[in-house]
Amino acid sequence: MKTFACNGEWRGRRITASVLVLDQGIRVDLYGGDLPHIGAVSAVSCDKRLETILFPGHREAVLSESWATSLNRQTGMPVAVTAGIHYDGVTREDIEEIVKVTEEMRRQVMEKISLL
């Protein structure tokens, strides 16, 4: 079992990906901003089946699904991702910037996992 974290930042507030790599699975908790929380949970099984729970009023499924499918594709292992990033008063353009930050974080996480 290995654990590590990868951090990003947008407008001076941290976004964290806390990663747990097990012998047969990966769990990622992706959270940050003004109000870290759980807004969506996505899991991908070994047979590539994706399941997502999106809590009412949240939009993090795009992040949790993207992370889960990418990590599953890279490793072939089951992956579970929780996501909850909230910034007050963001625009659509702001959300695009936040997604770019998390995409870079995901690249870094995938690189670290490949070295384990």
Short mmCIF file of all heavy atoms in Angstrom, two decimals, residues 10-11 59 89-101:
data_model
loop_
_atom_site.label_atom_id
_atom_site.label_comp_id
_atom_site.label_asym_id
_atom_site.label_seq_id
_atom_site.Cartn_x
_atom_site.Cartn_y
_atom_site.Cartn_z
N TRP A 10 -5.36 27.34 -7.36
CA TRP A 10 -6.07 28.28 -8.22
C TRP A 10 -6.50 29.45 -7.35
O TRP A 10 -7.14 29.25 -6.30
CB TRP A 10 -7.28 27.62 -8.89
CG TRP A 10 -7.92 28.49 -9.91
CD1 TRP A 10 -7.48 28.75 -11.17
CD2 TRP A 10 -9.12 29.25 -9.75
NE1 TRP A 10 -8.32 29.62 -11.81
CE2 TRP A 10 -9.35 29.95 -10.96
CE3 TRP A 10 -10.02 29.43 -8.70
CZ2 TRP A 10 -10.43 30.79 -11.15
CZ3 TRP A 10 -11.10 30.27 -8.90
CH2 TRP A 10 -11.29 30.94 -10.11
N ARG A 11 -6.11 30.65 -7.75
CA ARG A 11 -6.41 31.88 -7.02
C ARG A 11 -6.04 31.80 -5.53
O ARG A 11 -6.79 32.22 -4.66
CB ARG A 11 -7.87 32.26 -7.18
CG ARG A 11 -8.18 32.66 -8.61
CD ARG A 11 -9.38 33.52 -8.71
NE ARG A 11 -9.55 33.92 -10.10
CZ ARG A 11 -10.68 34.34 -10.59
NH1 ARG A 11 -11.74 34.45 -9.84
NH2 ARG A 11 -10.76 34.67 -11.86
N ARG A 59 -21.43 19.58 -9.43
CA ARG A 59 -21.03 19.37 -10.82
C ARG A 59 -19.69 18.66 -10.95
O ARG A 59 -19.09 18.67 -12.01
CB ARG A 59 -20.97 20.72 -11.53
CG ARG A 59 -22.31 21.42 -11.59
CD ARG A 59 -22.21 22.74 -12.26
NE ARG A 59 -21.58 23.70 -11.34
CZ ARG A 59 -21.38 24.97 -11.61
NH1 ARG A 59 -21.73 25.46 -12.77
NH2 ARG A 59 -20.83 25.77 -10.73
N GLY A 89 -18.47 32.18 -6.36
CA GLY A 89 -18.62 33.15 -7.44
C GLY A 89 -17.83 32.89 -8.69
O GLY A 89 -17.38 33.84 -9.35
N VAL A 90 -17.65 31.62 -9.09
CA VAL A 90 -16.87 31.34 -10.30
C VAL A 90 -17.72 31.47 -11.56
O VAL A 90 -18.93 31.27 -11.54
CB VAL A 90 -16.23 29.94 -10.26
CG1 VAL A 90 -15.19 29.85 -9.17
CG2 VAL A 90 -17.26 28.85 -10.13
N THR A 91 -17.04 31.80 -12.64
CA THR A 91 -17.67 31.86 -13.96
C THR A 91 -17.35 30.57 -14.72
O THR A 91 -16.52 29.77 -14.27
CB THR A 91 -17.13 33.04 -14.77
OG1 THR A 91 -15.73 32.81 -15.03
CG2 THR A 91 -17.32 34.36 -14.03
N ARG A 92 -17.96 30.41 -15.87
CA ARG A 92 -17.66 29.25 -16.71
C ARG A 92 -16.18 29.23 -17.09
O ARG A 92 -15.54 28.18 -17.10
CB ARG A 92 -18.53 29.27 -17.97
CG ARG A 92 -18.28 28.07 -18.88
CD ARG A 92 -19.31 27.94 -19.95
NE ARG A 92 -20.67 27.76 -19.48
CZ ARG A 92 -21.18 26.61 -19.05
NH1 ARG A 92 -20.43 25.55 -18.98
NH2 ARG A 92 -22.44 26.54 -18.67
N GLU A 93 -15.61 30.39 -17.38
CA GLU A 93 -14.18 30.47 -17.71
C GLU A 93 -13.32 30.08 -16.52
O GLU A 93 -12.29 29.42 -16.67
CB GLU A 93 -13.82 31.89 -18.19
CG GLU A 93 -14.42 32.27 -19.53
CD GLU A 93 -15.89 32.68 -19.44
OE1 GLU A 93 -16.37 33.06 -18.33
OE2 GLU A 93 -16.59 32.61 -20.47
N ASP A 94 -13.74 30.49 -15.33
CA ASP A 94 -13.02 30.09 -14.11
C ASP A 94 -13.02 28.57 -13.96
O ASP A 94 -11.99 27.96 -13.63
CB ASP A 94 -13.65 30.72 -12.87
CG ASP A 94 -13.51 32.22 -12.80
OD1 ASP A 94 -12.61 32.78 -13.46
OD2 ASP A 94 -14.33 32.85 -12.09
N ILE A 95 -14.16 27.96 -14.20
CA ILE A 95 -14.27 26.50 -14.08
C ILE A 95 -13.33 25.82 -15.06
O ILE A 95 -12.67 24.84 -14.73
CB ILE A 95 -15.73 26.04 -14.26
CG1 ILE A 95 -16.56 26.52 -13.07
CG2 ILE A 95 -15.81 24.52 -14.42
CD1 ILE A 95 -18.06 26.34 -13.23
N GLU A 96 -13.24 26.37 -16.27
CA GLU A 96 -12.30 25.81 -17.26
C GLU A 96 -10.87 25.88 -16.76
O GLU A 96 -10.09 24.94 -16.95
CB GLU A 96 -12.45 26.53 -18.59
CG GLU A 96 -13.76 26.22 -19.29
CD GLU A 96 -13.99 27.06 -20.54
OE1 GLU A 96 -13.08 27.82 -20.94
OE2 GLU A 96 -15.10 26.96 -21.10
N GLU A 97 -10.50 26.98 -16.10
CA GLU A 97 -9.15 27.11 -15.54
C GLU A 97 -8.92 26.10 -14.41
O GLU A 97 -7.85 25.51 -14.31
CB GLU A 97 -8.93 28.53 -15.01
CG GLU A 97 -8.83 29.58 -16.09
CD GLU A 97 -8.67 30.98 -15.51
OE1 GLU A 97 -8.28 31.12 -14.33
OE2 GLU A 97 -8.94 31.94 -16.25
N ILE A 98 -9.92 25.92 -13.57
CA ILE A 98 -9.82 24.96 -12.47
C ILE A 98 -9.65 23.55 -13.02
O ILE A 98 -8.82 22.77 -12.53
CB ILE A 98 -11.05 25.06 -11.54
CG1 ILE A 98 -11.07 26.42 -10.83
CG2 ILE A 98 -11.07 23.91 -10.52
CD1 ILE A 98 -12.39 26.78 -10.20
N VAL A 99 -10.41 23.21 -14.05
CA VAL A 99 -10.28 21.89 -14.67
C VAL A 99 -8.88 21.71 -15.23
O VAL A 99 -8.28 20.63 -15.09
CB VAL A 99 -11.36 21.69 -15.76
CG1 VAL A 99 -11.06 20.46 -16.61
CG2 VAL A 99 -12.74 21.58 -15.13
N LYS A 100 -8.30 22.75 -15.83
CA LYS A 100 -6.93 22.65 -16.35
C LYS A 100 -5.93 22.37 -15.23
O LYS A 100 -5.00 21.58 -15.39
CB LYS A 100 -6.54 23.92 -17.10
CG LYS A 100 -7.19 24.03 -18.45
CD LYS A 100 -6.79 25.29 -19.17
CE LYS A 100 -7.55 25.41 -20.48
NZ LYS A 100 -7.28 26.67 -21.16
N VAL A 101 -6.12 23.01 -14.08
CA VAL A 101 -5.25 22.75 -12.92
C VAL A 101 -5.36 21.28 -12.52
O VAL A 101 -4.35 20.61 -12.29
CB VAL A 101 -5.61 23.68 -11.73
CG1 VAL A 101 -4.89 23.24 -10.47
CG2 VAL A 101 -5.29 25.13 -12.06
#
